[in-house]
Amino acid sequence: MPIERNLKCILLDDEIPSLRFLKMLCEQISGLEVVKAFNDPASLLKEYRKLSFDFCILDIEMPEFNGFDLAKELKDFPIVFSTAYKQYASDAFDINAVDYMRKPISLQRLQQAIMKVEQIINNKAEIVSFAQFNTNKGKTVLYFDQINYVQIAEVDSRDKTVYLADGSFILLKNISFDKLMEILPEHDFIRINKKEIIATKIVKFFSADQMTSNLFDEQDMPLLFNLGESYKKMFFEKFS
């Protein structure tokens, strides 16, 4: 049974045969991509910030870290647990796990879990797809997918100019970059220097000090953005 939208997941199971079997099942579901399969919790903790994914399927009983330890770290992502043990079910749902699958897992059971994840993600996308802001012309509702980048306003640094995909711009009144980063979806936006936030979708090329966007200026030249020293590490981790 295909899912309605493309989803990306990461897998974790310290038992390699179980991990291979789970990956094989996932690959039979149309629209589902396994970004990476981990057999070591420490490796997942080290690498997950560099990966683009929508949800996680985690084993529970593992050496060093258990699945609940990982779930705390991955709290921003929907979690599905996959385990041979039934005694953890209540604990799993106490931390709002999307589903709890008992091994051996069937394709049908996995599909049920993925459909639950899809519903959660769809609902979340509907909830956080826009926000209300104060502008120089009054209040406005701004959809995040329309934003290309944000800069400090020229006249008053307390204000921010938002440049939109349709070529227009909006002046947001008296809002800090810190507040904006709390509102904007973390996976879709990143601050690159003291004066600018960009949408990740506009990144085309980057070097040690500069990012080339897929946007163009009035002379039909690509727009360039400087990478501030304090923001480079986070930027390179996101795009490496």
Side-chain angles (χ1 to χ4, degrees):
M1 180 185 298
I3 55 180
E4 293 182 2
R5 61 180 290 167
N6 293 329
L7 295 176
K8 297 180 180 181
C9 69
I10 59 174
L11 312 178
L12 172 64
D13 195 317
D14 66 315
E15 297 179 355
I16 293 180
S18 294
L19 184 62
R20 287 175 176 166
F21 181 70
L22 178 58
K23 186 172 185 289
M24 180 195 70
L25 291 180
C26 289
E27 289 170 346
Q28 294 180 49
I29 299 177
S30 177
L32 179 62
E33 176 188 346
V34 176
V35 175
K36 190 157 186 176
F38 295 90
N39 71 328
D40 174 31
S43 297
L44 185 152
L45 287 173
K46 183 178 180 181
E47 296 184 36
Y48 83 89
R49 292 184 182 85
K50 303 176 183 179
L51 304 176
S52 174
F53 62 97
D54 300 300
F55 72 100
C56 325
I57 303 178
L58 307 177
D59 192 12
I60 292 181
E61 284 205 352
M62 295 174 290
E64 190 174 358
F65 302 103
N66 64 36
F68 295 115
D69 296 327
L70 272 295
K72 292 176 184 176
E73 177 70 20
L74 297 162
K75 62 183 183 298
D76 294 330
F77 299 91
I79 303 292
V80 173
F81 285 114
S82 166
T83 179
Y85 304 95
K86 64 181 180 181
Q87 64 264 33
Y88 300 115
S90 62
D91 293 331
F93 292 113
D94 282 345
I95 63 168
N96 295 320
V98 175
D99 209 343
Y100 186 92
M101 303 186 297
R102 291 279 306 282
K103 298 176 183 178
I105 300 165
S106 68
L107 178 59
Q108 183 180 8
R109 181 66 184 87
L110 178 61
Q111 287 174 325
Q112 291 174 355
I114 302 307
M115 290 177 67
K116 291 180 182 179
V117 170
E118 184 180 21
Q119 184 176 6
I120 292 289
I121 290 175
N122 286 341
N123 290 342
K124 184 177 180 182
E126 290 175 3
I127 294 171
V128 300
S129 62
F130 63 87
Q132 181 175 281
F133 296 94
N134 293 320
T135 78
N136 58 322
K137 297 181 180 180
K139 292 186 180 296
T140 190
V141 172
L142 188 57
Y143 284 83
F144 302 141
D145 62 1
Q146 289 297 305
I147 299 173
N148 281 337
Y149 62 99
V150 184
Q151 291 181 334
I152 287 181
E154 293 183 3
V155 176
D156 189 337
S157 63
R158 293 172 297 180
D159 300 337
K160 306 296 180 287
T161 304
V162 181
Y163 293 86
L164 304 175
D166 64 3
S168 65
F169 63 88
I170 293 175
L171 185 68
L172 305 186
K173 296 296 293 181
N174 196 25
I175 187 168
S176 68
F177 275 136
D178 288 342
K179 183 61 177 178
L180 271 175
M181 289 304 296
E182 288 178 10
I183 297 171
L184 297 173
E186 181 180 356
H187 292 289
D188 298 329
F189 294 88
I190 186 168
R191 189 169 180 182
I192 58 170
N193 55 52
K194 292 181 178 180
K195 297 183 178 181
E196 293 171 314
I197 294 171
I198 64 164
T200 56
K201 66 183 179 182
I202 73 168
V203 176
K204 188 172 184 180
F205 306 110
F206 58 88
S207 63
D209 301 301
Q210 195 173 70
M211 188 275 288
T212 302
S213 74
N214 55 23
L215 308 176
F216 296 89
D217 62 18
E218 294 176 353
Q219 284 73 45
D220 207 28
M221 297 295 292
L223 285 180
L224 306 178
F225 295 82
N226 294 323
L227 298 179
E229 193 66 38
S230 302
Y231 303 89
K232 288 181 181 179
K233 183 176 184 293
M234 186 178 299
F235 182 91
F236 294 142
E237 284 180 352
K238 184 177 284 286
F239 290 98
S240 61

